[in-house]
Amino acid sequence: MVQVRASVDIAAPVDVVVGVLLDPARAPLWTDGLERLEVVRGVPGEAGCVGRASYRGSFGRTVVMTDTLDVANPGRFYRSTIHGGGITAVVETHLARTDSGTRMVMEWSGTGSHLVANLTLRLLRRGITRRAEADLARLAALAEGDVVSG
């Protein structure tokens, strides 16, 4: 199992951050490689919601993953299970109010469906961490922009 943790302080209230986090149409704006996120069952932000995420893969292929929101404690904690592309991952998102806005921590733990996928995840761990940090920075910029424009 490969584990990654990334965090960011966002100069926006929790409700604004959650608005960006749970908006399927905006997910490609902050998630590296995500082309589209489509809700196929349920309501974003509610436990049981299922999304179909299409990512740019190698050699022009698209990798489709299923994202199921397992636990939702609105404005505080979300846990999703993601399957597809040879991996299964659990993503936990923690949100906390701070004096300057919101602290967001994302923890990702994943395993490959076969030996090669597991080895690849281990080799790419640092890159996955950098991508997660960059994703959170883009999400923060969107939320902070919403505060300025709103």
Side-chain angles (χ1 to χ4, degrees):
M1 178 174 295
V2 173
Q3 297 178 326
V4 168
R5 185 176 193 271
S7 62
V8 66
D9 289 315
I10 306 170
V14 170
D15 63 321
V16 173
V17 174
V18 169
V20 175
L21 176 67
L22 298 180
D23 184 347
R26 295 179 82 185
L29 300 176
W30 63 270
T31 307
D32 186 45
L34 181 63
E35 295 176 329
R36 182 173 167 212
L37 177 58
E38 171 190 14
V39 175
V40 294
R41 186 174 68 228
V43 177
E46 293 183 8
C49 181
V50 177
R52 184 176 301 124
S54 299
Y55 287 89
R56 284 185 305 278
S58 303
F59 309 110
R61 293 181 301 169
T62 298
V63 176
V64 177
M65 304 183 87
T66 301
D67 186 331
T68 303
L69 184 58
D70 303 311
V71 177
N73 184 348
R76 294 182 183 188
F77 176 77
Y78 302 91
R79 185 180 68 223
S80 293
T81 302
I82 301 167
H83 299 280
I87 67 164
T88 296
V90 173
V91 179
E92 294 186 349
T93 304
H94 305 264
L95 300 159
R97 295 185 198 294
T98 64
D99 291 340
S100 60
T102 304
R103 173 100 173 138
M104 183 174 179
V105 177
M106 192 172 283
E107 298 175 327
W108 184 97
S109 56
T111 58
S113 58
H114 49 79
L115 179 62
V116 173
N118 276 319
L119 290 173
T120 302
L121 283 175
R122 290 184 194 286
L123 289 172
L124 296 177
R125 183 178 180 273
R126 285 191 181 130
I128 294 168
T129 300
R130 283 192 302 271
R131 284 175 59 180
E133 291 168 346
D135 286 351
L136 292 186
R138 284 189 297 273
L139 185 146
L142 288 170
E144 290 166 357
D146 285 358
V147 170
V148 171
S149 65

